[in-house]
Amino acid sequence: MNFLENKINELKKEKDAVILAHYYVNDEVQGIADYIGDSYYLSKLAAELPNRTIVFCGVAFMGESAKILSPQKTVLMPDAQADCPMAHMTDVADIFAIRKQYDDLAVVCYINSTAEVKAECDVCVTSANALKIIRKLEQKNIYFVPDANLGRYLAKSVPEKNFIFNNGFCPVHMSFTTGSVKEAKTAWPQAKVLAHPECTEEVLALADYIGSTSGIIKYATDSETKEFIICTEEGVLCQLKQKNPTKTFHLVPQRKICENMKKVTVQKVADCLEKTENQVELPEDLRLDAARALERMLVLAAD
Ligand code: CIZ
Ligand code: SF4
């Protein structure tokens, strides 16, 4: 263990802290984390863990969700600028406008959204639990914000609902092209293509499996296949390789990196813990309103 890791361990004890890391952060940061996972798993953990302090190695909406669910805890972000651009591609005005047009409507927000948007939604979802939750909603019309690609994928899988889409997108997943995936398939014809539903419809049409990061890891781990082409942010390779040392994982030709997730470093984890800085704070009325959508997600996703 090096000096910085020792220091982090001391600070963790002193501040009763736990380190949560998303699959998309740097391998070194995943290496010092107590728990690694997707936003559904990590938001559940943030609410359940007994620690007083949570260091959230991820982007703003993740730390915000942890704080919304656990207001009594101190939630620290190693990099205060790490944010998800998609989370800002919709706002409450969009929601008010659609609510006026439909009676029998559920507004469903992807967890990649701001607290203000969550506060106006009926339920929050992640890519790991969206299908399960939307199938349980009684409303016929579903306004899905902000990701249009994930929305279209869900709409295809739940044809009994009428979806209204927003026009948000993830710049990282949007940059996968059919050309680059076909190139990868030509280079590795035995490999199965595993793609995240934030990719375009055309890219998803080339996939053997479509799922969240945790879904992709589970599929690759359980599969008899030994070789895969991965269409999501490449941070997921760290856990894929650790869990499957005898399998091969390829990336499409151009590298796909979420620069916001990569802003988190081990040094910044140590710094935010030492100074108790970059604390997530929310006005209490906003927190209470946003908590409803997140708590409903945890209930509907549970069984
Ligand atoms: O839900 C998450 O953690 C994200 C952002 C991606 C995924 O599919 O896990
Ligand atoms: Fe946002 Fe895309 Fe980065 Fe995920 S990979 S945090 S959706 S920009």
Side-chain angles (χ1 to χ4, degrees), residues 26-38:
N26 286 319
D27 293 10
E28 306 78 62
V29 176
Q30 295 193 36
I32 55 140
D34 297 298
Y35 299 92
I36 304 157
D38 64 9

Side-chain angles (χ1 to χ4, degrees), residues 24 59 84-86 112 170-173 198 258 261:
Y24 293 163
V59 290
C84 170
M86 185 211 286
N112 302 39
C170 163
V172 181
H173 288 87
E198 287 172 19
C258 176
M261 289 283 187

